[in-house]
Amino acid sequence: MRSTIRRILSFFIIPACFFVLSCASVNNKIGSLSSVYVTNTKKIELLSPDNVEKNIDSLQLLNASFGKQTFSLLAFINIDNNGIFISLMNDLGTDMGNLSYNGESVFFDSSLFPKALKAEYIVADIQYAFYKSEAIEQMMSKVGLSFVVAREGQSEIRKIFDKEKCIAEITKTERECKIINYLRGYEYVLQESDDE
């Protein structure tokens, strides 16, 4: 059952990603990626895909909350040395949006998110969670922020600090990742689907 669903999703999602990458006229051009404001005054540049900690290729349940709004979606996530590729869909498999990042350009299209939302901010959250901690720590220190990694039992906890203030917290286990941005007031949880 798991392999059948995976084959079906791969059949539709992989061609869709290539279509998005090749046809997206709104794609940022090389060198024109926007900086990401981690705080209201301190900004970073996105890391290159070769900083990925380990490859991810899985169907996950995404539960998110932004203020009083909450939603749940399925997310097919592929993260490797080529970049970050995410396809969002509802539980019936209907396309709800796509994101792609290859280190030089980013594309995001979804009716669920405000049009003003820059895709770089989603990519940054994914990088905070799934890229090498040493690379993130170096990137943060350049702008006067701290990136701290700790272990509690089976969990890895990553935190971004501006002096004593915790800006964001990422808690990862083998099958789940929870990202909380205290400054911006949102959180989401990625949980590996049992249907893989």
Side-chain angles (χ1 to χ4, degrees):
M1 176 68 174
R2 290 181 181 180
S3 61
T4 303
I5 291 173
R6 190 177 184 87
R7 277 195 299 268
I8 291 170
L9 287 172
S10 296
F11 180 77
F12 289 106
I13 292 170
I14 291 171
C17 286
F18 284 114
F19 176 79
V20 165
L21 286 171
S22 63
C23 299
S25 60
V26 296
N27 224 11
N28 289 335
K29 293 194 172 33
I30 291 173
S32 66
L33 288 168
S34 296
S35 299
V36 172
Y37 279 90
V38 183
T39 71
N40 292 333
T41 58
K42 297 178 179 179
K43 61 185 179 179
I44 58 163
E45 303 300 323
L46 295 175
L47 292 168
S48 64
D50 58 359
N51 287 291
V52 66
E53 188 172 53
K54 68 174 187 176
N55 292 356
I56 297 173
D57 186 24
S58 66
L59 180 65
Q60 303 202 15
L61 176 63
L62 168 66
N63 291 302
S65 63
F66 299 87
K68 294 181 179 178
Q69 293 183 318
T70 61
F71 62 86
S72 294
L73 289 171
L74 290 173
F76 186 83
I77 299 177
N78 179 264
I79 304 171
D80 59 23
N81 288 339
N82 295 312
I84 298 169
F85 307 96
I86 302 174
S87 290
L88 302 172
M89 64 203 90
N90 64 21
D91 48 1
L92 298 175
T94 303
D95 180 22
M96 302 299 286
N98 296 284
L99 178 143
S100 63
Y101 168 73
N102 63 8
E104 297 177 341
S105 60
V106 64
F107 173 86
F108 182 53
D109 180 34
S110 174
S111 58
L112 291 172
F113 295 87
K115 294 292 183 190
L117 175 65
K118 290 185 177 180
E120 288 88 345
Y121 284 82
I122 299 171
V123 172
D125 281 340
I126 296 296
Q127 291 189 349
Y128 301 155
F130 299 112
Y131 275 36
K132 294 173 185 171
S133 58
E134 299 84 4
I136 301 167
E137 183 179 5
Q138 185 178 19
M139 173 181 64
M140 292 295 176
S141 67
K142 287 180 182 177
V143 296
L145 299 172
S146 301
F147 185 74
V148 179
V149 180
R151 292 205 70 85
E152 288 184 11
Q154 300 298 313
S155 300
E156 179 183 276
I157 301 167
R158 300 176 166 205
K159 293 182 180 180
I160 300 169
F161 287 94
D162 185 7
K163 296 181 179 154
E164 301 299 317
K165 183 177 182 180
C166 185
I167 302 299
E169 180 175 347
I170 299 99
T171 304
K172 296 194 303 177
T173 63
E174 184 67 28
R175 296 177 59 89
E176 184 176 288
C177 178
K178 182 176 185 179
I179 299 170
I180 304 173
N181 190 307
Y182 297 111
L183 182 65
R184 310 294 182 205
Y186 68 82
E187 70 177 70
Y188 46 95
V189 178
L190 288 165
Q191 187 173 33
E192 199 170 299
S193 172
D194 292 329
D195 291 332
E196 267 200 292

